[in-house]
Amino acid sequence: MDYVMRVVRADEWPQVRQLRLDALKDPAAPVAFLESYEDSAAKPDVFWQQRAADAAEDGPGRVRQFVAESPQGEWVGSVTVLVESPDDEVRFGEASPVHQAHLVGVFVRPEVRGTGVTEALFREAVAWVWSLSAPRMERVRLYVHEKNPRAAAFYRKFGFVPSGQWILAPGDQGERELEYVLGRAS
């Protein structure tokens, strides 16, 4: 594979913004993301600048955004890692019972799906999680909408298992977001 997996840099906020907007145009966006294209497109540049700075290699350390970059410099995918601790404010889902990471914002452009890019992004993100030592991360979690079987199948193939926990999906449809977890191998 010729793609490079790496962490975003703070000055790459225009690319962070564009990839997110492209993700929100994907047909699966309504069950994959918690925000709309219109809401994200309306956010000011300062929002995107802060988002990139927080997720950069030299950011504060609680968030990392990994991107897959083609040899031509095109970003073809992304996953963001949120570090969570039991005493943190809940961002999404249930409060964290342990020190863990939460994968969000998973997107790979349709033309590179099935080529190994998603697996490579996840390997990079999960390796970073397991490398954290203070505190030691006990698991990685993510949520997947019950009407997103393609994503659920990928997560299971990667090694995530349903925890049995779920929350109501945003909106009043009575649909669920299912929690999947990946434990440490050792």
Side-chain angles (χ1 to χ4, degrees):
M1 179 181 337
D2 293 334
Y3 297 95
V4 172
M5 309 302 143
R6 65 174 181 82
V7 177
V8 300
R9 294 184 293 270
D11 65 345
E12 294 176 317
W13 67 268
Q15 294 97 311
V16 168
R17 178 184 187 274
Q18 188 59 57
L19 189 62
R20 181 61 172 188
L21 293 178
D22 291 350
L24 292 170
K25 290 180 191 174
D26 189 271
V31 295
F33 301 109
L34 299 177
E35 61 188 337
S36 70
Y37 173 86
E38 294 76 18
D39 289 344
S40 281
K43 292 180 178 170
D45 289 351
V46 69
F47 170 85
W48 298 102
Q49 291 163 352
Q50 189 63 54
R51 186 172 179 151
D54 288 347
E57 187 70 46
D58 59 353
R62 308 249 330 145
V63 178
R64 286 294 180 274
Q65 182 177 359
F66 293 85
V67 293
E69 186 175 27
S70 76
Q72 297 76 31
E74 178 189 14
W75 287 11
V76 298
S78 177
V79 62
T80 298
V81 181
L82 309 174
V83 174
E84 299 177 327
S85 297
D87 55 342
D88 287 346
E89 181 179 323
V90 177
R91 296 180 212 171
F92 180 76
E94 298 291 324
S96 174
V98 297
H99 295 288
Q100 67 184 10
H102 188 156
L103 302 185
V104 299
V106 178
F107 174 69
V108 173
R109 294 186 187 280
E111 63 270 19
V112 297
R113 291 177 188 159
T115 65
V117 168
T118 311
E119 291 88 346
L121 273 170
F122 267 59
R123 279 193 305 274
E124 192 76 15
V126 170
W128 179 76
V129 170
W130 296 148
S131 77
L132 299 174
S133 59
R136 183 176 188 259
M137 298 291 110
E138 295 185 34
R139 68 182 195 165
V140 179
R141 76 169 170 177
L142 52 80
Y143 284 88
V144 62
H145 194 283
E146 65 186 345
K147 290 186 177 177
N148 195 350
R150 180 179 52 90
F154 168 77
Y155 301 142
R156 285 191 305 273
K157 181 180 171 191
F158 192 84
F160 283 84
V161 296
S163 72
Q165 300 295 313
W166 58 271
I167 60 169
L168 285 176
D172 292 324
Q173 306 301 317
E175 297 168 342
R176 300 177 301 162
E177 293 276 345
L178 310 173
E179 183 187 59
Y180 279 61
V181 297
L182 178 69
R184 279 181 129 8
S186 55

